[in-house]
Amino acid sequence: MSGIAPTATRPAPRGGGGSAQTLTSGPRRGDLVFSGVVRAAAIFLLLLMAAIAGFLVFRATGALNANHANVATYTGQWAPDDTPAKFGIGSLAWGTLVTSVIAIVIAAPVAIGVALFISQYAPRRLAQVLGYIIDLLAAVPSIIYGLWGILFLVPHMQGASQVVGDVLGWIPLFDTNGPLGRSVFTAGVILSIMILPIIAAISREIFLQTPREQVEAAYALGATRWEMIRLAVLPYGRRGVGSAIVLGFGRALGETVAVAMVLSTTYNFVTKWLQSGGNTIAANIALQFGSAFKIGQGALIASGLVLFVVTFLVNLLARRITGRADIPKDERWSLLSVFRPGRRAAAHMESSYDANAADVPDREGTLEARDEPQEVAADDTAGRARPHRAAHGAVGDSMLVSPSLPRRIRSSLAGGMTVGTFVLALLPLISILWLVVNNGRHAMSPSFLTHSLRNIDDSQFGGGVYHAIIGTLEQSGLATLIAVPIGILVAVYLVEYGRGVLATAVTFFVDVMMGLPSIVAGLFILSMWILGLGQHANGFAGALALTILMLPVVIRSSEEMLKLVPDSLREASYALGVPKWKTITKIVIPTALPGIVTGVMLGVARVMGETAPILLVVGYIQNINVNPFSSDQGQATLPTVIYNTYASPEHASNDRTWAAAFLLIVIIMVLNIIARLIAWWKKPGRA
Amino acid sequence: MAKRIDVAGLSAYYGPTRAIEDISMTIEPRTVTAFIGPSGCGKSTFLRTLNRMHEVIPGARVEGKVTLDDVDLYGSGVDPVAVRRHVGMVFQRPNPFPTMSIYDNVAAGLRLGGLKKRGELDDIVEQSLKGANLWKEVENRLKKPGAGLSGGQQQRLCIARAIAVSPDVLLMDEPCSALDPISTTAIEDLISQLKSEYTIVIVTHNMQQAARVSDRTAFFNISGTGTPGRLIEIDETSRIFANPTEKATEDYITGRFG
Ligand SMILES: Nc1ncnc2c1ncn2[C@@H]1O[C@H](COP(=O)(O)OP(=O)(O)OP(=O)(O)O)[C@@H](O)[C@H]1O
Ligand SMILES: [Mg+2]
């Protein structure tokens, strides 16, 4: 050691001795101001929710009072602006329910298979890549699914529907005596493709969290891989997967544009699911909004309120099922979990069994000694354990015998099926990417990126989406500018200060906002900002709607990342005599920053692809308007360009629609990849 | 400037449960005092009441009196943040700030306390690192992340960080328990050197360590799980180890329990 005399090296004392003078100080200004600011952000969030709810209810009651039809049972045309006003929400709710149920029935088993494949069967390196692919699938905006749905899936669904009808036609639901294709069944299929990656991403995370001891315990009992999954992975993940399915159901309920594009609308209670017709609450809002006057808007808001309440209850159910705090609450969790220490280690652990899992030594004799829940004990290998042992005598006799043939076959079969589900899930993605790239390349050119659609007829070639790029960037940029500071402050409040009623309330409402259908966010801004406060339907209104969608994402991810900052760092800082607010701003937030940035990027990627709320609150134009605060002009965005042009019969216009979709996908993918790179670059332990 | 600590009738609580009860002792300046005792007897809790870190934990509170050279640390108008500038702390696991370089780690307390002058900071950082016997090992990589050091170096970095704000007292909670024997020796040497300038309190589970580095030793104990920890006795280290007054102390030291 250095041997330097400590007296010589001791830093000069600063600030004098510990007299009463230096130990006392008034109330700390910095701490008071800072805690006041974060608390204000939290309270602002609550007030915002209250104001929004108030305006929605106010608008809705007006229309409901004017309605001359029975709102629950009326099945005639949507005519709230007629005298007398007539509209029904019951049949819409029914359609919403039917499409979502179809979606979940298709998506849930496939998603679980995909999650099992990625988390349990795929080799580690491959698993990461496959996981990324599923995450990307979850990031594809709904307008793209809608475009693919109407231009590719609907024509192909006629044949598929006929097949289903031939087999199940004796059930009235699957009667095929009418036009097929633009049916609730097709809508359900599109929705299932959209929610599948969400359920799969969450389930995969849960499966990866299976405690290592339980996996090892199962293998130590001589379980094959499939038996291990049944013994350890599935029982552990049951609640989490259940809640993922319910969350997926909630997403399906609120999905707007994809359904609006695919369905051919009718207002009856659909009972022939393969035949064209039906409607959902969200789709109806998007379709009817353009022609709605005062009562019409109120009627749509009323229907939106119904949707809001239903999705709210569904999300509440998901929360109930979850019960535990460590279960992901949305699909973005997976990306952020890179920052969770030890999480990847577990994944690695499991795949280290890859080489030998299929031929673990057979020691069935010990199976009955296990300590597993009753329902798992019904596992068929356990049933055979006793006679087997009787035949072999001591356990040791069977040490070198590989698992019995039926067990091995079952294990391979299960593995094969998960591969199958993964391929099945991949097909739509390949089809979408192929169509978007193949059809989008015709119109894609430098001038497409630098020109607007001003004075361009559908039949004319040329023109571009410069105006929409500006709109997309400005609106999501403004939303980011508003949502990020508020979101981080609220997260700081929740993690560093929050206790008691206010914190509980804020957490609760963040959950509510998280599950909010985007069309309802549009209705919020419409009823409060535009109808209530008389503001303009310009880019800024769009940014506000996007803010509502982005806030919960930013809050939730920042909250998670702040919680990951070890308390020991806070204590180290306090022990240096650093006040709390400086500890938070200079130590805690910088430590959590990479994760927070990743979360923000994911939030931006989400809102960039939004269509539904923008349809409601921003006027669509074809020319360049760089001013988002304009009082007489709206703005186009890439998704609204697609929505407003996809139905054109003209070849030239179709090319532009696909090119816009191409561009949108590229931007969103790039954002996702950057977010992922930040996560990878900054993850703990890489230093 | 090393200062003297007087504790009188101190109890500490986590919510409703009392973790330590009625502790009184005097800690002399320029001495090393070791706290020993079985796990859960409240050594860490007591240590953290000495710089008001205890109250950082939600629901935690303290009764009784702690005076630092006649200033009551729990007196009205005393700012816990200021207290911690005078009574520094080193933790069981080295915890350098991961986003900061070695230099920034040492400078953190001063910078966040408002000192911005580069030259002055440079001096103090150098002196502190020398004081922590770390200067020679890191002088060429001051801009590298502190997390890149070995565990023992990180712990000395944390000591440098603590002494950079020139406290009067240094509290150390099992500072060597996460370290290998060589790093442990380095830290123990350092403690012996720092003693001439600081009042040092160290919690340790290692009897030899207590015997090696400390002048006085305090033995804490609990009479059963769920009961609050108490101070059994405090005396010259040589006496505690050779000829303790209390039977419980002797039993503990000779390994009959704990
Ligand atoms: N944050 C906390 N919240 C509630 N109780 C706590 C907390 N920290 C410690 N305790 C309790 O206070 C008592 C004393 O704990 P403390 O950590 O001070 O013991 P210790 O002597 O330092 O033990 P060790 O030698 O294991 O570090 C224990 O019963 C412990 O369970
Ligand atoms: Mg302790």
Side-chain angles (χ1 to χ4, degrees), chain A residues 2 6-7 9-11 14 17-18 22-25 28 568-569 571-572 574-577 582 586-587 590-591, chain B residues 1 3 48 53 71 77 79 81-82 84-86 95-100 112 120 127 133 161 166-167 193 197-198:
Chain A
S2 69
T7 343
T9 60
R10 183 185 176 192
R14 295 174 37 76
T22 57
L23 285 182
T24 53
S25 65
R28 297 211 142 253
S568 68
L569 294 183
E571 298 210 325
Y574 294 151
L576 291 174
K582 276 198 178 168
K586 296 288 163 70
I587 308 282
T591 307
Chain B
M1 283 221 283
K3 288 206 167 108
R48 291 163 59 95
M53 283 292 284
V71 180
D79 179 3
V81 173
R84 294 177 201 136
R85 303 226 121 204
H86 292 269
N95 51 2
F97 299 127
T99 54
M100 295 185 187
L112 296 178
E120 209 174 322
Q127 283 173 33
N133 288 344
R161 183 176 68 186
S166 42
Q193 292 171 15
E197 287 285 323
Y198 301 90

Side-chain angles (χ1 to χ4, degrees), chain A residues 492-508:
Chain A
V492 165
Y493 171 76
L494 288 175
V495 177
E496 309 287 340
Y497 293 91
R499 236 171 296 141
V501 191
L502 180 59
T504 316
V506 171
T507 306
F508 179 76

Side-chain angles (χ1 to χ4, degrees), chain B residues 34-233:
Chain B
F35 290 177
I36 60 170
S39 206
C41 67
K43 304 178 297 291
S44 301
T45 305
F46 178 57
L47 194 74
R48 291 163 59 95
T49 61
L50 301 182
N51 66 342
R52 296 191 63 171
M53 283 292 284
H54 181 64
E55 63 208 66
V56 168
I57 295 162
R61 70 198 166 81
V62 175
E63 281 169 6
K65 215 169 165 172
V66 180
T67 51
L68 185 69
D69 270 10
D70 304 328
V71 180
D72 182 0
L73 295 188
Y74 287 91
S76 67
V78 171
D79 179 3
V81 173
V83 168
R84 294 177 201 136
R85 303 226 121 204
H86 292 269
V87 186
M89 186 158 196
V90 175
F91 298 81
Q92 180 169 357
R93 300 207 153 269
N95 51 2
F97 299 127
T99 54
M100 295 185 187
S101 66
I102 293 172
Y103 181 100
D104 292 340
N105 260 288
V106 180
L110 295 169
R111 277 213 180 117
L112 296 178
L115 180 68
K116 293 268 147 58
K117 277 189 231 114
R118 187 79 206 193
E120 209 174 322
L121 277 178
D122 285 349
D123 283 350
I124 297 176
V125 167
E126 182 174 341
Q127 283 173 33
S128 306
L129 283 169
K130 281 180 178 159
N133 288 344
L134 190 60
W135 175 251
K136 287 204 179 131
E137 288 153 78
V138 300
E139 68 180 310
N140 293 322
R141 47 169 169 159
L142 290 175
K143 295 288 159 215
K144 295 270 162 58
L149 298 172
S150 76
Q153 290 173 324
Q154 286 186 22
Q155 192 64 302
R156 276 179 281 147
L157 177 63
C158 292
I159 293 175
R161 183 176 68 186
I163 60 182
V165 294
S166 42
D168 308 307
V169 179
L170 213 47
L171 308 176
M172 301 185 172
D173 193 352
E174 303 185 44
C176 303
S177 67
L179 306 182
D180 66 287
I182 294 178
S183 308
T184 299
T185 312
I187 303 270
E188 285 179 8
D189 288 349
L190 177 58
I191 291 171
S192 309
Q193 292 171 15
L194 291 173
K195 179 171 101 172
S196 59
E197 287 285 323
Y198 301 90
T199 307
I200 294 177
V201 183
I202 175 172
V203 175
T204 177
H205 276 286
N206 181 332
M207 298 302 147
Q208 287 79 25
Q209 182 169 65
R212 279 194 302 266
V213 301
S214 73
D215 306 299
R216 289 168 68 78
T217 296
F219 173 63
F220 293 77
N221 203 358
I222 29 173
S223 39
T225 45
T227 58
R230 292 172 150 279
L231 173 65
I232 304 300
E233 62 177 310

Side-chain angles (χ1 to χ4, degrees), chain A residues 383-660:
Chain A
R384 273 198 309 281
R386 242 151 291 159
H388 193 96
R389 181 173 60 168
H392 282 275
V395 173
D397 288 356
S398 58
M399 278 296 276
L400 296 176
V401 183
S402 64
S404 62
L405 192 63
R407 286 176 59 204
R408 269 183 298 164
I409 291 179
R410 201 172 302 123
S411 190
S412 313
L413 216 60
M417 275 178 63
T418 65
V419 178
T421 57
F422 185 78
V423 172
L424 191 64
L426 224 50
L427 289 180
L429 178 70
I430 294 169
S431 165
I432 289 171
L433 286 182
W434 169 254
L435 282 176
V436 167
V437 173
N438 201 34
N439 295 332
R441 71 194 154 89
H442 302 303
M444 189 62 82
S445 69
S447 87
F448 184 74
L449 304 178
T450 53
H451 290 76
S452 75
L453 285 176
R454 193 155 82 104
N455 296 335
I456 304 274
D457 281 346
D458 272 9
S459 58
Q460 277 175 289
F461 286 91
V465 290
Y466 177 66
H467 62 310
I469 298 175
I470 289 184
T472 298
L473 292 182
E474 284 187 351
Q475 288 174 30
S476 43
L478 280 171
T480 311
L481 283 182
I482 306 170
V484 167
I486 299 179
I488 293 180
L489 286 177
V490 173
V492 165
Y493 171 76
L494 288 175
V495 177
E496 309 287 340
Y497 293 91
R499 236 171 296 141
V501 191
L502 180 59
T504 316
V506 171
T507 306
F508 179 76
F509 280 109
V510 172
D511 272 351
V512 172
M513 289 176 84
M514 200 78 181
L516 193 74
S518 62
I519 188 92
V520 177
L523 287 178
F524 280 174
I525 296 306
L526 175 73
S527 61
M528 191 173 109
W529 184 252
I530 297 179
L531 301 180
L533 303 176
Q535 300 296 316
H536 304 287
N538 54 18
F540 185 64
L544 288 180
L546 297 183
T547 302
I548 303 238
L549 294 170
M550 211 169 146
L551 259 178
V553 181
V554 174
I555 296 175
R556 187 40 57 67
S557 55
S558 307
E559 193 187 345
E560 293 299 332
M561 292 307 114
L562 290 173
K563 277 186 192 155
L564 285 183
V565 176
D567 268 341
S568 68
L569 294 183
R570 294 183 180 85
E571 298 210 325
S573 177
Y574 294 151
L576 291 174
V578 177
K580 183 167 181 172
W581 74 278
K582 276 198 178 168
T583 300
I584 294 169
T585 52
K586 296 288 163 70
I587 308 282
V588 178
I589 291 180
T591 307
L593 200 61
I596 294 177
V597 172
T598 302
V600 167
M601 307 267 310
L602 295 176
V604 176
R606 171 182 175 183
V607 300
M608 272 198 168
E610 279 298 344
T611 318
I614 305 297
L615 288 177
L616 303 190
V617 299
V618 189
Y620 175 71
I621 57 170
Q622 300 203 326
N623 54 294
I624 300 168
N625 172 21
V626 292
N627 179 11
F629 301 97
S630 159
S631 60
D632 57 352
Q633 274 202 327
Q635 265 184 341
T637 63
L638 286 171
T640 53
V641 165
I642 300 172
Y643 187 78
N644 281 288
T645 60
Y646 80 89
S648 166
E650 297 292 342
H651 196 67
S653 176
N654 290 345
D655 279 355
R656 284 191 292 266
T657 308
W658 283 109

Side-chain angles (χ1 to χ4, degrees), chain A residues 62-305:
Chain A
L64 289 173
N65 287 336
N67 192 4
H68 276 77
N70 183 327
V71 77
T73 58
Y74 182 71
T75 55
Q77 281 302 306
W78 185 263
D81 288 310
D82 288 6
T83 27
K86 285 192 168 176
F87 62 92
I89 299 179
S91 62
L92 297 175
W94 169 251
T96 307
L97 214 62
V98 169
T99 49
S100 304
V101 166
I102 295 173
I104 210 74
V105 166
I106 301 173
V110 181
I112 294 172
V114 169
L116 281 178
F117 172 65
I118 294 179
S119 66
Q120 310 295 326
Y121 285 92
R124 180 161 177 246
R125 277 174 188 284
L126 186 63
Q128 284 204 342
V129 176
L130 299 182
Y132 292 168
I133 291 176
I134 293 294
D135 287 351
L136 287 186
L137 207 54
V140 172
S142 30
I143 186 79
I144 306 275
Y145 283 107
L147 188 65
W148 177 76
I150 185 67
L151 297 180
F152 175 82
L153 189 64
V154 165
H156 289 78
M157 277 311 277
Q158 285 165 0
S161 302
Q162 193 61 57
V163 173
V164 174
D166 289 347
V167 180
L168 297 171
W170 48 275
I171 306 173
L173 282 181
F174 298 108
D175 184 21
T176 51
N177 292 320
L180 308 176
R182 301 188 63 178
S183 60
V184 289
F185 180 64
T186 306
V189 170
I190 288 261
L191 287 176
S192 74
I193 296 170
M194 297 176 70
I195 60 177
L196 186 146
I198 297 167
I199 304 174
I202 301 178
S203 303
R204 175 197 55 187
E205 284 308 300
I206 294 162
F207 291 150
L208 284 176
Q209 287 173 15
T210 312
R212 195 179 162 134
E213 313 83 68
Q214 288 181 22
V215 175
E216 286 182 343
Y219 279 133
L221 293 174
T224 62
R225 189 192 307 238
W226 173 238
E227 286 162 355
M228 182 281 290
I229 292 173
R230 291 188 54 184
L231 281 169
V233 178
L234 291 181
Y236 174 82
R238 202 171 36 202
R239 291 170 73 96
V241 171
S243 114
I245 291 174
V246 177
L247 283 176
F249 185 70
R251 286 290 174 87
L253 288 174
E255 178 46 46
T256 309
V257 283
V259 177
M261 288 160 86
V262 163
L263 273 182
S264 82
T265 341
T266 60
Y267 285 88
N268 57 331
F269 284 80
V270 270
T271 52
K272 308 235 162 70
W273 292 1
L274 294 178
Q275 296 182 19
S276 291
N279 207 343
T280 69
I281 294 178
N284 187 59
I285 296 172
L287 293 170
Q288 294 292 345
F289 179 76
S291 52
F293 294 100
K294 191 160 186 299
I295 299 186
Q297 290 174 339
L300 293 174
I301 288 172
S303 71
L305 211 51

